[in-house]
Amino acid sequence: MGVNPDTITMSGQSSGSYMTNHMMVLHSERIKGYGMMEGGPYHVGAIWGVTEEAPLLAMESVANMTLMAEAGKIDDPKNLVDRPAFVLIATNDETVTTNQQHAQNIT
């Protein structure tokens, strides 16, 4: 198709940001950069609706990523190191809290 696999990036806003975060973790070998606006962290099911605990649960999510990669279920999270990223956090978002948005920076 003429697509250079070294230039595949992904971005999204709100729900699209959650999807971007998941895709970059699951397919970190293929996705070379990402942009996330007003979204949250990988494995959001455990974090949705939580405020103060969101960063702590996101750290737990990092441990889960490692286990899933070791089991061959997702790409190696080490691929995410030094990937170009743009993360926008909205302070007046009433749906996705600022703590949830900050937690995406951990993943």
Side-chain angles (χ1 to χ4, degrees):
M1 290 179 39
V3 175
N4 181 345
D6 293 329
T7 62
I8 297 173
T9 62
M10 188 169 184
S11 62
Q13 179 182 18
S14 196
S15 292
S17 180
Y18 283 98
M19 179 186 67
T20 297
N21 203 321
H22 276 68
M23 291 296 288
M24 73 171 196
V25 169
L26 297 174
H27 304 289
S28 63
E29 192 165 318
R30 291 176 207 94
I31 299 175
K32 306 299 183 183
Y34 49 91
M36 295 176 291
M37 299 159 276
E38 304 167 309
Y42 178 71
H43 268 186
V44 69
I47 297 168
W48 188 255
V50 177
T51 54
E52 293 79 24
E53 293 87 1
L56 179 61
L57 289 172
M59 290 297 285
E60 207 172 276
S61 169
V62 173
N64 289 335
M65 278 189 266
T66 304
L67 292 173
M68 289 179 73
E70 288 171 357
K73 295 182 178 182
I74 65 172
D75 288 348
D76 190 337
K78 292 178 184 172
N79 294 327
L80 299 171
V81 175
D82 296 327
R83 290 278 197 239
F86 172 82
V87 178
L88 179 123
I89 295 175
T91 57
N92 61 349
D93 191 323
E94 295 179 13
T95 304
V96 183
T97 69
T98 0
N99 282 333
Q100 289 167 328
Q101 293 178 58
H102 280 291
Q104 77 182 346
N105 294 324
I106 295 169
T107 60

